[in-house]
Amino acid sequence: MLETTTGPAAPVFLSPEMLEEPEPVRGCDECGSLARGRDAEKDDPSRRTDLNILMRRHFRKH
Ligand SMILES: [Zn+2]
């Protein structure tokens, strides 16, 4: 009588890319300031994610 075949209907998926934090590029001021901001948001994962997104977006301008 157990129904184990169906999980949650709409799991929230984060791609591995989103979970992995981008590394700031050495010598780039903007990367550095984004990385410092990220360090300051240790306790706030959603802010960190925002900063990671900003950093990835900024990487395209290198
Ligand atoms: Zn940079």
Side-chain angles (χ1 to χ4, degrees), residues 19-35:
L19 295 170
E20 211 166 285
E21 302 202 320
E23 283 295 316
V25 173
R26 273 168 174 275
C28 176
D29 286 345
E30 196 162 340
C31 283
S33 80
L34 287 166

Side-chain angles (χ1 to χ4, degrees), residues 6 17 20 51-52 59:
T6 51
E17 192 174 274
E20 211 166 285
L51 286 159
N52 286 336
F59 279 174

Side-chain angles (χ1 to χ4, degrees), residues 37-49:
R38 206 172 61 182
D39 286 346
E41 302 290 354
K42 276 192 181 65
D43 301 324
D44 192 338
S46 71
R47 281 288 299 151
R48 286 185 75 95
T49 302

